[in-house]
Amino acid sequence: AQSVTQLDSQVPVFEEAPVELRCNYSSSVSVYLFWYVQYPNQGLQLLLKYLSGSTLVESINGFEAEFNKSQTSFHLRKPSVHISDTAEYFCAVSETSFQKLVFGTGTRLLVSP
Amino acid sequence: DVKVTQSSRYLVKRTGEKVFLECVQDMDHENMFWYRQDPGLGLRLIYFSYDVKMKEKGDIPEGYSVSREKKERFSLILESASTNQTSMYLCASSLAGGGQETQYFGPGTRLLVL
């Protein structure tokens, strides 16, 4: 069975500062990795995903995540955050053959001016 | 544009009532999912469906049932609501295939059971 750990429940940062949201997973089989974002009063939407190939994946709004197989991690980073990035971020994992997503407990990113 | 809609944003019910949560997707997706979201617990899968009239239990199916009579519609049913079912309920859909498919989520229904 897979599991996902997001150690930080809340990360406060100032606008234009860099941020890293940590995600570690455990699985005995090959997996795909996802980051979903939930803006206030909305459902989740996909931010980025790792399927194969380059271990560094990017989103259209400046976030990136790096798949590290040896450390079983998929940390999310952004070099300079905006107020509008305030949201809850969920890391998730699925088996390659089966579409059941297992989510972490989420990290609330709070960006202040 | 991809769209998943849920019948209510907020719902207040009494203990013991039968509750229906409806979800509709307009993307012709084969798979549909129901999650509940609780603070500190993230999202947990209740049930999913990979085809009309097909359903599979997720991680926390107790106290819930589902119905999928049409491809675009997936209903979650609380047979006898209890206070511990107070939560945010999220519906999602995706194309058939392996684990690489993106799930598209509705805006959620916040259910309060008194």
mmCIF file of all heavy atoms in Angstrom, chain B residues 55-87:
data_model
loop_
_atom_site.group_PDB
_atom_site.id
_atom_site.type_symbol
_atom_site.label_atom_id
_atom_site.label_comp_id
_atom_site.label_asym_id
_atom_site.label_seq_id
_atom_site.Cartn_x
_atom_site.Cartn_y
_atom_site.Cartn_z
ATOM 1 N N LYS B 55 -19.261 -0.039 -9.368
ATOM 2 C CA LYS B 55 -18.756 0.722 -8.232
ATOM 3 C C LYS B 55 -17.743 -0.122 -7.477
ATOM 4 O O LYS B 55 -17.815 -1.346 -7.489
ATOM 5 C CB LYS B 55 -19.896 1.135 -7.301
ATOM 6 C CG LYS B 55 -20.652 -0.047 -6.706
ATOM 7 C CD LYS B 55 -21.820 0.424 -5.863
ATOM 8 C CE LYS B 55 -22.577 -0.771 -5.292
ATOM 9 N NZ LYS B 55 -23.786 -0.367 -4.540
ATOM 10 N N GLU B 56 -16.824 0.581 -6.844
ATOM 11 C CA GLU B 56 -15.809 -0.084 -6.027
ATOM 12 C C GLU B 56 -15.669 0.684 -4.725
ATOM 13 O O GLU B 56 -15.710 1.923 -4.725
ATOM 14 C CB GLU B 56 -14.447 -0.081 -6.745
ATOM 15 C CG GLU B 56 -14.392 -0.927 -7.996
ATOM 16 C CD GLU B 56 -14.274 -2.402 -7.706
ATOM 17 O OE1 GLU B 56 -13.913 -2.749 -6.571
ATOM 18 O OE2 GLU B 56 -14.543 -3.208 -8.630
ATOM 19 N N LYS B 57 -15.469 -0.019 -3.644
ATOM 20 C CA LYS B 57 -15.258 0.625 -2.361
ATOM 21 C C LYS B 57 -13.883 1.271 -2.320
ATOM 22 O O LYS B 57 -12.910 0.730 -2.843
ATOM 23 C CB LYS B 57 -15.385 -0.393 -1.224
ATOM 24 C CG LYS B 57 -16.790 -0.918 -1.027
ATOM 25 C CD LYS B 57 -16.830 -1.911 0.117
ATOM 26 C CE LYS B 57 -18.251 -2.425 0.311
ATOM 27 N NZ LYS B 57 -18.321 -3.424 1.407
ATOM 28 N N GLY B 58 -13.849 2.416 -1.681
ATOM 29 C CA GLY B 58 -12.583 3.067 -1.421
ATOM 30 C C GLY B 58 -12.083 2.720 -0.038
ATOM 31 O O GLY B 58 -12.300 1.606 0.449
ATOM 32 N N ASP B 59 -11.467 3.689 0.614
ATOM 33 C CA ASP B 59 -10.865 3.422 1.916
ATOM 34 C C ASP B 59 -11.841 3.551 3.082
ATOM 35 O O ASP B 59 -11.630 2.942 4.130
ATOM 36 C CB ASP B 59 -9.687 4.385 2.134
ATOM 37 C CG ASP B 59 -8.604 4.190 1.092
ATOM 38 O OD1 ASP B 59 -8.285 3.027 0.785
ATOM 39 O OD2 ASP B 59 -8.087 5.196 0.570
ATOM 40 N N ILE B 60 -12.879 4.337 2.912
ATOM 41 C CA ILE B 60 -13.821 4.573 4.018
ATOM 42 C C ILE B 60 -15.270 4.488 3.541
ATOM 43 O O ILE B 60 -16.040 5.432 3.633
ATOM 44 C CB ILE B 60 -13.562 5.946 4.695
ATOM 45 C CG1 ILE B 60 -13.515 7.074 3.644
ATOM 46 C CG2 ILE B 60 -12.263 5.931 5.487
ATOM 47 C CD1 ILE B 60 -13.642 8.453 4.250
ATOM 48 N N PRO B 61 -15.729 3.336 3.070
ATOM 49 C CA PRO B 61 -17.077 3.232 2.517
ATOM 50 C C PRO B 61 -18.193 3.080 3.553
ATOM 51 O O PRO B 61 -19.371 3.235 3.210
ATOM 52 C CB PRO B 61 -16.985 1.960 1.671
ATOM 53 C CG PRO B 61 -15.981 1.117 2.395
ATOM 54 C CD PRO B 61 -14.980 2.095 2.970
ATOM 55 N N GLU B 62 -17.839 2.825 4.798
ATOM 56 C CA GLU B 62 -18.868 2.528 5.800
ATOM 57 C C GLU B 62 -19.801 3.723 5.997
ATOM 58 O O GLU B 62 -19.353 4.847 6.199
ATOM 59 C CB GLU B 62 -18.206 2.168 7.131
ATOM 60 C CG GLU B 62 -17.356 0.907 7.102
ATOM 61 C CD GLU B 62 -15.982 1.130 6.465
ATOM 62 O OE1 GLU B 62 -15.544 2.310 6.381
ATOM 63 O OE2 GLU B 62 -15.362 0.136 6.051
ATOM 64 N N GLY B 63 -21.083 3.442 5.941
ATOM 65 C CA GLY B 63 -22.089 4.483 6.138
ATOM 66 C C GLY B 63 -22.496 5.193 4.856
ATOM 67 O O GLY B 63 -23.351 6.081 4.885
ATOM 68 N N TYR B 64 -21.888 4.796 3.752
ATOM 69 C CA TYR B 64 -22.171 5.425 2.454
ATOM 70 C C TYR B 64 -22.543 4.369 1.414
ATOM 71 O O TYR B 64 -22.156 3.211 1.526
ATOM 72 C CB TYR B 64 -20.935 6.181 1.936
ATOM 73 C CG TYR B 64 -20.378 7.215 2.854
ATOM 74 C CD1 TYR B 64 -19.338 6.902 3.730
ATOM 75 C CD2 TYR B 64 -20.879 8.514 2.844
ATOM 76 C CE1 TYR B 64 -18.818 7.859 4.582
ATOM 77 C CE2 TYR B 64 -20.349 9.477 3.689
ATOM 78 C CZ TYR B 64 -19.317 9.135 4.550
ATOM 79 O OH TYR B 64 -18.802 10.093 5.391
ATOM 80 N N SER B 65 -23.287 4.803 0.407
ATOM 81 C CA SER B 65 -23.496 4.011 -0.789
ATOM 82 C C SER B 65 -23.464 4.952 -1.984
ATOM 83 O O SER B 65 -23.456 6.181 -1.806
ATOM 84 C CB SER B 65 -24.822 3.244 -0.736
ATOM 85 O OG SER B 65 -25.916 4.149 -0.672
ATOM 86 N N VAL B 66 -23.394 4.405 -3.186
ATOM 87 C CA VAL B 66 -23.317 5.232 -4.380
ATOM 88 C C VAL B 66 -24.235 4.659 -5.450
ATOM 89 O O VAL B 66 -24.656 3.495 -5.393
ATOM 90 C CB VAL B 66 -21.878 5.340 -4.935
ATOM 91 C CG1 VAL B 66 -20.991 6.154 -4.015
ATOM 92 C CG2 VAL B 66 -21.299 3.955 -5.190
ATOM 93 N N SER B 67 -24.488 5.500 -6.436
ATOM 94 C CA SER B 67 -25.300 5.087 -7.570
ATOM 95 C C SER B 67 -24.767 5.756 -8.820
ATOM 96 O O SER B 67 -24.500 6.952 -8.814
ATOM 97 C CB SER B 67 -26.757 5.497 -7.354
ATOM 98 O OG SER B 67 -27.515 5.262 -8.512
ATOM 99 N N ARG B 68 -24.634 4.965 -9.890
ATOM 100 C CA ARG B 68 -24.248 5.532 -11.176
ATOM 101 C C ARG B 68 -25.101 4.889 -12.258
ATOM 102 O O ARG B 68 -24.743 3.858 -12.813
ATOM 103 C CB ARG B 68 -22.755 5.313 -11.459
ATOM 104 C CG ARG B 68 -22.297 6.181 -12.631
ATOM 105 C CD ARG B 68 -20.829 6.255 -12.712
ATOM 106 N NE ARG B 68 -20.395 7.077 -13.823
ATOM 107 C CZ ARG B 68 -19.196 6.974 -14.364
ATOM 108 N NH1 ARG B 68 -18.331 6.086 -13.897
ATOM 109 N NH2 ARG B 68 -18.860 7.754 -15.363
ATOM 110 N N GLU B 69 -26.195 5.545 -12.547
ATOM 111 C CA GLU B 69 -27.139 5.068 -13.557
ATOM 112 C C GLU B 69 -26.826 5.622 -14.943
ATOM 113 O O GLU B 69 -27.180 5.021 -15.960
ATOM 114 C CB GLU B 69 -28.569 5.443 -13.157
ATOM 115 C CG GLU B 69 -29.025 4.779 -11.863
ATOM 116 C CD GLU B 69 -29.088 3.272 -11.993
ATOM 117 O OE1 GLU B 69 -29.554 2.772 -13.036
ATOM 118 O OE2 GLU B 69 -28.658 2.574 -11.045
ATOM 119 N N LYS B 70 -26.182 6.776 -14.982
ATOM 120 C CA LYS B 70 -25.768 7.385 -16.246
ATOM 121 C C LYS B 70 -24.293 7.748 -16.156
ATOM 122 O O LYS B 70 -23.771 8.005 -15.072
ATOM 123 C CB LYS B 70 -26.595 8.641 -16.537
ATOM 124 C CG LYS B 70 -28.050 8.376 -16.814
ATOM 125 C CD LYS B 70 -28.766 9.656 -17.218
ATOM 126 C CE LYS B 70 -30.212 9.360 -17.564
ATOM 127 N NZ LYS B 70 -30.946 10.577 -17.991
ATOM 128 N N LYS B 71 -23.661 7.780 -17.307
ATOM 129 C CA LYS B 71 -22.212 7.993 -17.331
ATOM 130 C C LYS B 71 -21.816 9.316 -16.686
ATOM 131 O O LYS B 71 -20.787 9.412 -16.023
ATOM 132 C CB LYS B 71 -21.709 7.953 -18.784
ATOM 133 C CG LYS B 71 -20.200 7.941 -18.925
ATOM 134 C CD LYS B 71 -19.799 7.806 -20.377
ATOM 135 C CE LYS B 71 -18.293 7.675 -20.518
ATOM 136 N NZ LYS B 71 -17.889 7.540 -21.941
ATOM 137 N N GLU B 72 -22.628 10.342 -16.880
ATOM 138 C CA GLU B 72 -22.225 11.665 -16.428
ATOM 139 C C GLU B 72 -22.567 11.950 -14.966
ATOM 140 O O GLU B 72 -22.165 12.970 -14.433
ATOM 141 C CB GLU B 72 -22.887 12.741 -17.314
ATOM 142 C CG GLU B 72 -24.407 12.840 -17.181
ATOM 143 C CD GLU B 72 -25.146 11.939 -18.155
ATOM 144 O OE1 GLU B 72 -24.518 10.995 -18.686
ATOM 145 O OE2 GLU B 72 -26.350 12.191 -18.373
ATOM 146 N N ARG B 73 -23.290 11.066 -14.314
ATOM 147 C CA ARG B 73 -23.813 11.361 -12.981
ATOM 148 C C ARG B 73 -23.413 10.286 -11.972
ATOM 149 O O ARG B 73 -23.579 9.087 -12.222
ATOM 150 C CB ARG B 73 -25.334 11.468 -13.058
ATOM 151 C CG ARG B 73 -26.006 11.984 -11.808
ATOM 152 C CD ARG B 73 -27.518 12.064 -12.029
ATOM 153 N NE ARG B 73 -27.849 13.008 -13.086
ATOM 154 C CZ ARG B 73 -28.121 14.288 -12.891
ATOM 155 N NH1 ARG B 73 -28.096 14.782 -11.672
ATOM 156 N NH2 ARG B 73 -28.409 15.075 -13.902
ATOM 157 N N PHE B 74 -22.931 10.756 -10.821
ATOM 158 C CA PHE B 74 -22.482 9.840 -9.759
ATOM 159 C C PHE B 74 -23.016 10.386 -8.454
ATOM 160 O O PHE B 74 -22.689 11.518 -8.071
ATOM 161 C CB PHE B 74 -20.951 9.773 -9.760
ATOM 162 C CG PHE B 74 -20.353 8.668 -8.922
ATOM 163 C CD1 PHE B 74 -20.969 7.435 -8.796
ATOM 164 C CD2 PHE B 74 -19.123 8.849 -8.312
ATOM 165 C CE1 PHE B 74 -20.388 6.410 -8.058
ATOM 166 C CE2 PHE B 74 -18.527 7.831 -7.570
ATOM 167 C CZ PHE B 74 -19.166 6.618 -7.447
ATOM 168 N N SER B 75 -23.831 9.603 -7.777
ATOM 169 C CA SER B 75 -24.485 10.064 -6.553
ATOM 170 C C SER B 75 -23.909 9.371 -5.333
ATOM 171 O O SER B 75 -23.633 8.165 -5.357
ATOM 172 C CB SER B 75 -25.986 9.769 -6.625
ATOM 173 O OG SER B 75 -26.562 10.391 -7.756
ATOM 174 N N LEU B 76 -23.739 10.144 -4.288
ATOM 175 C CA LEU B 76 -23.311 9.611 -2.990
ATOM 176 C C LEU B 76 -24.508 9.668 -2.056
ATOM 177 O O LEU B 76 -25.168 10.699 -1.968
ATOM 178 C CB LEU B 76 -22.160 10.443 -2.427
ATOM 179 C CG LEU B 76 -21.613 10.006 -1.071
ATOM 180 C CD1 LEU B 76 -20.884 8.671 -1.199
ATOM 181 C CD2 LEU B 76 -20.668 11.067 -0.504
ATOM 182 N N ILE B 77 -24.763 8.567 -1.365
ATOM 183 C CA ILE B 77 -25.933 8.475 -0.493
ATOM 184 C C ILE B 77 -25.495 8.151 0.917
ATOM 185 O O ILE B 77 -24.717 7.213 1.142
ATOM 186 C CB ILE B 77 -26.887 7.367 -1.009
ATOM 187 C CG1 ILE B 77 -27.282 7.666 -2.461
ATOM 188 C CG2 ILE B 77 -28.139 7.283 -0.122
ATOM 189 C CD1 ILE B 77 -27.629 6.442 -3.263
ATOM 190 N N LEU B 78 -25.975 8.970 1.849
ATOM 191 C CA LEU B 78 -25.804 8.680 3.261
ATOM 192 C C LEU B 78 -27.136 8.122 3.734
ATOM 193 O O LEU B 78 -28.128 8.852 3.820
ATOM 194 C CB LEU B 78 -25.436 9.940 4.048
ATOM 195 C CG LEU B 78 -24.027 10.506 3.877
ATOM 196 C CD1 LEU B 78 -23.767 11.015 2.468
ATOM 197 C CD2 LEU B 78 -23.779 11.589 4.906
ATOM 198 N N GLU B 79 -27.194 6.836 3.992
ATOM 199 C CA GLU B 79 -28.466 6.168 4.295
ATOM 200 C C GLU B 79 -29.109 6.717 5.560
ATOM 201 O O GLU B 79 -30.316 6.884 5.635
ATOM 202 C CB GLU B 79 -28.246 4.668 4.424
ATOM 203 C CG GLU B 79 -27.779 3.999 3.139
ATOM 204 C CD GLU B 79 -28.874 3.923 2.076
ATOM 205 O OE1 GLU B 79 -30.068 4.090 2.425
ATOM 206 O OE2 GLU B 79 -28.549 3.703 0.899
ATOM 207 N N SER B 80 -28.299 6.993 6.556
ATOM 208 C CA SER B 80 -28.791 7.536 7.820
ATOM 209 C C SER B 80 -27.683 8.422 8.378
ATOM 210 O O SER B 80 -26.740 7.926 8.997
ATOM 211 C CB SER B 80 -29.132 6.401 8.789
ATOM 212 O OG SER B 80 -29.548 6.933 10.032
ATOM 213 N N ALA B 81 -27.794 9.709 8.099
ATOM 214 C CA ALA B 81 -26.699 10.627 8.413
ATOM 215 C C ALA B 81 -26.382 10.631 9.908
ATOM 216 O O ALA B 81 -27.280 10.590 10.759
ATOM 217 C CB ALA B 81 -27.041 12.031 7.938
ATOM 218 N N SER B 82 -25.087 10.723 10.185
ATOM 219 C CA SER B 82 -24.638 10.837 11.569
ATOM 220 C C SER B 82 -23.711 12.032 11.695
ATOM 221 O O SER B 82 -23.152 12.507 10.688
ATOM 222 C CB SER B 82 -23.920 9.559 12.006
ATOM 223 O OG SER B 82 -22.764 9.373 11.228
ATOM 224 N N THR B 83 -23.526 12.510 12.916
ATOM 225 C CA THR B 83 -22.721 13.721 13.111
ATOM 226 C C THR B 83 -21.276 13.520 12.658
ATOM 227 O O THR B 83 -20.625 14.486 12.233
ATOM 228 C CB THR B 83 -22.749 14.146 14.583
ATOM 229 O OG1 THR B 83 -22.338 13.059 15.403
ATOM 230 C CG2 THR B 83 -24.155 14.596 15.000
ATOM 231 N N ASN B 84 -20.779 12.298 12.710
ATOM 232 C CA ASN B 84 -19.390 12.090 12.279
ATOM 233 C C ASN B 84 -19.250 12.082 10.750
ATOM 234 O O ASN B 84 -18.136 11.885 10.231
ATOM 235 C CB ASN B 84 -18.784 10.817 12.884
ATOM 236 C CG ASN B 84 -19.507 9.558 12.471
ATOM 237 O OD1 ASN B 84 -20.325 9.567 11.545
ATOM 238 N ND2 ASN B 84 -19.218 8.464 13.144
ATOM 239 N N GLN B 85 -20.341 12.298 10.054
ATOM 240 C CA GLN B 85 -20.283 12.467 8.605
ATOM 241 C C GLN B 85 -20.302 13.937 8.197
ATOM 242 O O GLN B 85 -20.331 14.252 7.004
ATOM 243 C CB GLN B 85 -21.429 11.702 7.932
ATOM 244 C CG GLN B 85 -21.269 10.196 8.080
ATOM 245 C CD GLN B 85 -22.408 9.414 7.452
ATOM 246 O OE1 GLN B 85 -23.586 9.682 7.711
ATOM 247 N NE2 GLN B 85 -22.069 8.421 6.624
ATOM 248 N N THR B 86 -20.266 14.807 9.182
ATOM 249 C CA THR B 86 -20.072 16.231 8.897
ATOM 250 C C THR B 86 -18.693 16.404 8.268
ATOM 251 O O THR B 86 -17.683 16.022 8.861
ATOM 252 C CB THR B 86 -20.174 17.059 10.182
ATOM 253 O OG1 THR B 86 -21.522 17.053 10.631
ATOM 254 C CG2 THR B 86 -19.714 18.490 9.954
ATOM 255 N N SER B 87 -18.658 16.955 7.074
ATOM 256 C CA SER B 87 -17.394 17.009 6.340
ATOM 257 C C SER B 87 -17.591 17.781 5.043
ATOM 258 O O SER B 87 -18.695 18.171 4.684
ATOM 259 C CB SER B 87 -16.923 15.580 6.022
ATOM 260 O OG SER B 87 -15.639 15.580 5.434
#
